[in-house]
């Protein structure tokens, strides 16, 4: 789960708690002088209950680094 401040996602009011399912790493979006990424997940309310599925744009700097790509291991 990630909590995003109001200034770090589009569009909403107040902090957003999201159980992130998908981050569109390959398609960064330049917006308002920053880089944003499309993020999809389940909204978690203040009581910890799951709510609606949501897609939002999140500042790339507020997300964990993308998983490293592992090269397939070649066998001799």
């Amino acid at each position: 789960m990630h909590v995003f401040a109001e200034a770090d996602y589009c569009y909403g009011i107040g902090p957003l708690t999201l159980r992130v399912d998908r981050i569109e790493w390959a398609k960064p979006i330049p917006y308002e002088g920053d880089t944003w990424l499309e993020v999809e997940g389940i909204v978690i309310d203040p009581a910890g209950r799951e709510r609606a599925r949501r897609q939002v744009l999140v500042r790339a700097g507020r997300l964990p680094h993308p998983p490293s790509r592992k090269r397939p291991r070649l066998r001799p």
Side-chain angles (χ1 to χ4, degrees):
M1 279 194 299
H2 298 277
V3 179
F4 302 107
E6 181 177 335
D8 293 329
Y9 74 99
C10 298
Y11 296 93
I13 297 173
L16 172 67
T17 302
L18 196 66
R19 189 184 75 213
V20 175
D21 293 330
R22 182 182 63 83
I23 300 172
E24 192 62 57
W25 297 107
K27 296 180 183 176
I29 299 166
Y31 179 68
E32 293 185 345
D34 208 344
T35 300
W36 299 70
L37 296 168
E38 183 179 292
V39 175
E40 184 176 338
I42 302 292
V43 174
I44 306 297
D45 72 13
R49 294 180 299 246
E50 291 186 357
R51 295 297 179 189
R53 174 166 288 284
R54 186 161 177 196
Q55 281 185 323
V56 293
L57 290 180
V58 176
R59 289 182 196 275
R62 298 296 182 217
L63 293 165
H65 294 288
S68 60
R69 294 185 177 196
K70 294 182 180 178
R71 290 184 173 180
R73 190 172 172 160
L74 300 176
R75 296 181 188 212

